Structure formats: structure tokens, C-alpha cells
Amino acid sequence: MRSYTLIAPAKINLYLEIISQRPDGYHELAMILQSIELADEINVQSLSNESICVNCNHSQVPTDKSNLAYRAAALMAAKFPEALAKYGGVEITINKHIPVAAGLAGGSANAAAVLVGIDLLWNLGLTKSELEELGATLGSDVPFCVAGGTVIATGRGEQLSPLPSLEPIYIVLAKYRSLEVSTAWAYKTYRQEFGSSYLRDPDNLAARAAAVHSGDIVKAIANQDAGEIAQKLHNDLERVVLPAYPQVLQLRELFATQAGVLGTMMSGSGPTVFALVESEEQAQAVKLQIRAAIPDQDLELFVTRTITHGIQVASST
Ligand code: ATP
């Protein structure tokens, strides 16, 4: 049976601005998304029947129909029934390295990998934008995860506009294994607390979303200026998550005082906190310092770096 193994990188948010509430219930966002080397491995293998099944080595990840990777395969099966009949169903095996419910788009990256993998297994020849369009029906971060890199994302996060590729910047990530922040809770709380300042005029909305394209952080990215990028990191959701989760605030404050840290921020709706660091050596040193300050084994720490791609094929049989 044919199979593909794919690399599915996580993302961090270098910038996340909440602009308004949309009529569909989602928020209008302006974000800068960045792929990082920390990644899951996804294997997709053809089956002799038309079923879909998921295996995963992580206890917090469901293997039933609620898994986003399963939903990606079910979407492909519904869209391309002839290919399903010709090539058979798929067995999906997820080797999890990306922390779960972390604001790192782990589930979305898995779904993007399954779309790319099934496109290959079934010889569909879909374009990147066709894959992104399918991905948008599964979740706002899935289209980004397909191509990855450094991207401005507007709308719900599915309207993508690529930025110049960044030279690698080293990153330290910190996440308490047992701490989860519900994305729905974070946005709902933000709306309750700050909704009165949302933009309502459609002209203003468009201008605000456009402003991110000429913003300081985009200029810093164009100039490959890691120090300036780090100074311009921004995440509106910190306004609700940091006061409610003291452990996240503590990590944020601890990172800010470490030598070599250029800037620090929470990713997405958290609770992962990341720091951009001057060099790999300093990133390793920051990791050791944080570990020494917080010996709690529930705290997971990773050294990683920015990368310029999304889903990649690692091998095929
Ligand atoms: P985002 O940054 O897109 O908000 P996240 O990193 O916060 O995502 P995920 O790791 O994608 O969150 O997990 C969110 C929830 O989705 C988890 O609680 C988990 O049970 C469920 N889930 C479903 N499918 C997957 C998957 N393939 N990988 C991880 N979690 C999954």
C-alpha cells in the first residue's frame, strides 16, 4: 500500500490584533503567522477498504471523528468520492511533538498535512490555493499551515498574504503540559471586556486590516531585523489570558529578564509563551535558566527556530 510521511510544522503569532466581531460570530483579525521547526510527523497510508482511521501517540489527542486530521480526510472523501473508490481509504498516524491546545496550531497543521498527503495518494494534482480553500472549511489556521512561512493573515485568519522569508531566528517555547486555554473562552472574554472598542464602520475595518501591511513589524520583517521584530511583537489576547493565568504571566516576565532575549509574547490564545533569542547558544542558555527557575516537570521547554515552509513530504513508499 502506498504511503507518504509529511512534516507538519507548528506556528507562532508574531502579531495578533482583534479588529471587530463578524456577522458569522468569528472575529475579524489581523495577524502575522510564522512557521517554526517544531513539527509533528504525519503518515498517510492507503487502505484496501474505504474507511478512515487515526492513530496518535499522545493521550490528549482524540483518534475519533473529532480529530481535525480525521475531518480533513473525511472532507477529501466527500469531495472526491471517485478517488476514494479508486485508491481506497486512509490510515493516518500522527507522531505528536507539538504541544496540544497550546496556541501553536497543532491540530490545524495535522489537518493541512492530511490534505496534502491525500492529494498525493489520490493523484488529485490540487493547487496550493485549492488545498487552502479546502483547509479554510476545516479551521481558520489550516490554510496558513499548508504553505507556511511568514504570512499576514486577515479575515478569520484564512486570507493570506505572504511576507519575505525570514533568516532563521531562534526561539524558546514554554508551555505547562497540563494547562489548556480554550480559544473560544479567550475570544469570548475579550469581546465581553473590550467589545465596546471594536470597529463597526466597514471602511474603517478595511483600513485597519490594510494598516498591518504597512505596519512597523512588517517593515522589520522586510529588513530582516530580528531585534526590531521582537520589539514589535503584539497579541491582544494577552489582555485577557495573562490576568486569568498567573503561570503564563510569570513565564512572560521571566523570559523578559533573560540575557539574549530580544522579545517575548504569548502565542495565539496561549498558553504557550515564546521568546525570540539572539542565537542558538543563547536559546539553549535561556532554556536552562528557565528550567532552573521553574523546576516543575509539568513545564515543557523547547528550543526551535523560524522556518520558511509549511507542509513538506519527508518520504514516500
Ligand atoms: P490553534 O493555535 O489553532 O488554536 P491549538 O494549538 O491551540 O490550536 P490544538 O493543539 O490544535 O490547539 O488542539 C486543540 C484541541 O483540539 C485539543 O484539545 C484536542 O483535543 C483537539 N484535537 C483534535 N484533533 C487534533 C490533532 N490532530 N492534534 C491536536 N489536537 C487535536
Side-chain angles (χ1 to χ4, degrees):
M1 284 291 169
R2 288 175 70 202
S3 83
Y4 285 88
T5 299
L6 303 115
I7 305 297
K11 63 87 181 152
I12 55 170
N13 295 76
L14 299 177
Y15 187 88
L16 190 162
E17 181 185 352
I18 300 174
I19 296 175
S20 69
Q21 175 87 41
R22 295 158 53 105
D24 62 9
Y26 287 93
H27 280 85
E28 190 72 25
L29 303 172
M31 300 190 286
I32 299 177
L33 303 174
Q34 173 64 55
S35 301
I36 59 175
E37 203 167 46
L38 178 65
D40 292 339
E41 263 167 44
I42 311 291
N43 182 268
V44 289
Q45 174 158 15
S46 292
L47 291 174
S48 51
N49 56 35
E50 292 190 11
S51 64
I52 297 167
C53 69
V54 175
N55 313 303
C56 183
N57 61 342
H58 195 299
S59 60
Q60 275 170 279
V61 177
T63 51
D64 61 10
K65 291 180 178 178
S66 67
N67 191 300
L68 212 48
Y70 182 102
R71 290 178 47 213
L75 174 69
M76 294 297 266
K79 288 270 175 199
F80 305 102
E82 285 160 16
L84 174 68
K86 182 169 174 192
Y87 296 103
V90 272
E91 177 170 8
I92 300 162
T93 304
I94 303 171
N95 190 1
K96 260 279 159 214
H97 302 291
I98 305 172
V100 176
L104 298 172
S108 303
N110 295 176
V114 168
L115 296 179
V116 172
I118 291 182
D119 174 53
L120 293 167
L121 273 182
W122 293 356
N123 293 316
L124 295 170
L126 298 174
T127 62
K128 182 169 71 68
S129 56
E130 286 169 332
L131 289 166
E132 288 175 358
E133 213 170 294
L134 286 166
T137 68
L138 296 165
S140 308
D141 285 338
V142 181
F144 165 75
C145 291
V146 172
T150 310
V151 167
I152 296 177
T154 52
R156 287 189 292 129
E158 83 292 2
Q159 290 167 27
L160 306 178
S161 156
L163 288 168
S165 292
L166 273 178
E167 296 292 321
I169 302 174
Y170 280 88
I171 297 167
V172 183
L173 290 178
K175 158 134 198 318
Y176 284 96
R177 206 174 271 114
S178 59
L179 187 65
E180 292 189 12
V181 175
S182 149
T183 303
W185 170 85
Y187 279 101
K188 190 171 125 232
T189 309
Y190 190 92
R191 187 175 63 235
Q192 283 162 356
E193 292 188 22
F194 304 107
S196 58
S197 63
Y198 284 171
L199 292 184
R200 293 196 162 74
D201 179 342
D203 290 344
N204 288 343
L205 284 182
R208 183 87 152 264
V212 71
H213 289 259
S214 54
D216 289 343
I217 188 163
V218 171
K219 284 185 197 135
I221 290 166
N223 293 334
Q224 300 281 346
D225 186 340
E228 188 61 15
I229 294 168
Q231 288 307 304
K232 302 296 178 199
L233 296 171
H234 176 82
N235 184 348
D236 274 337
L237 290 172
E238 285 199 337
R239 295 169 78 185
V240 293
V241 178
L242 297 189
Y245 292 89
Q247 287 166 296
V248 182
L249 178 63
Q250 184 203 16
L251 282 173
R252 182 82 164 66
E253 288 174 344
L254 197 56
F255 267 136
T257 58
Q258 302 302 312
V261 168
L262 300 167
T264 174
M265 188 63 46
M266 184 180 79
S267 185
S269 56
T272 301
V273 176
F274 68 89
L276 303 186
V277 186
E278 274 173 24
S279 66
E280 182 174 12
E281 294 69 37
Q282 274 170 318
Q284 296 292 356
V286 168
K287 181 179 162 185
L288 288 177
Q289 296 285 353
I290 303 283
R291 175 59 71 213
I294 309 178
D296 186 348
Q297 286 306 310
D298 194 45
L299 181 67
E300 292 181 285
L301 292 163
F302 303 86
V303 170
T304 184
R305 59 180 181 165
T306 62
I307 55 170
T308 58
H309 61 82
I311 306 304
Q312 280 190 329
V313 177
S315 61
S316 61
T317 56

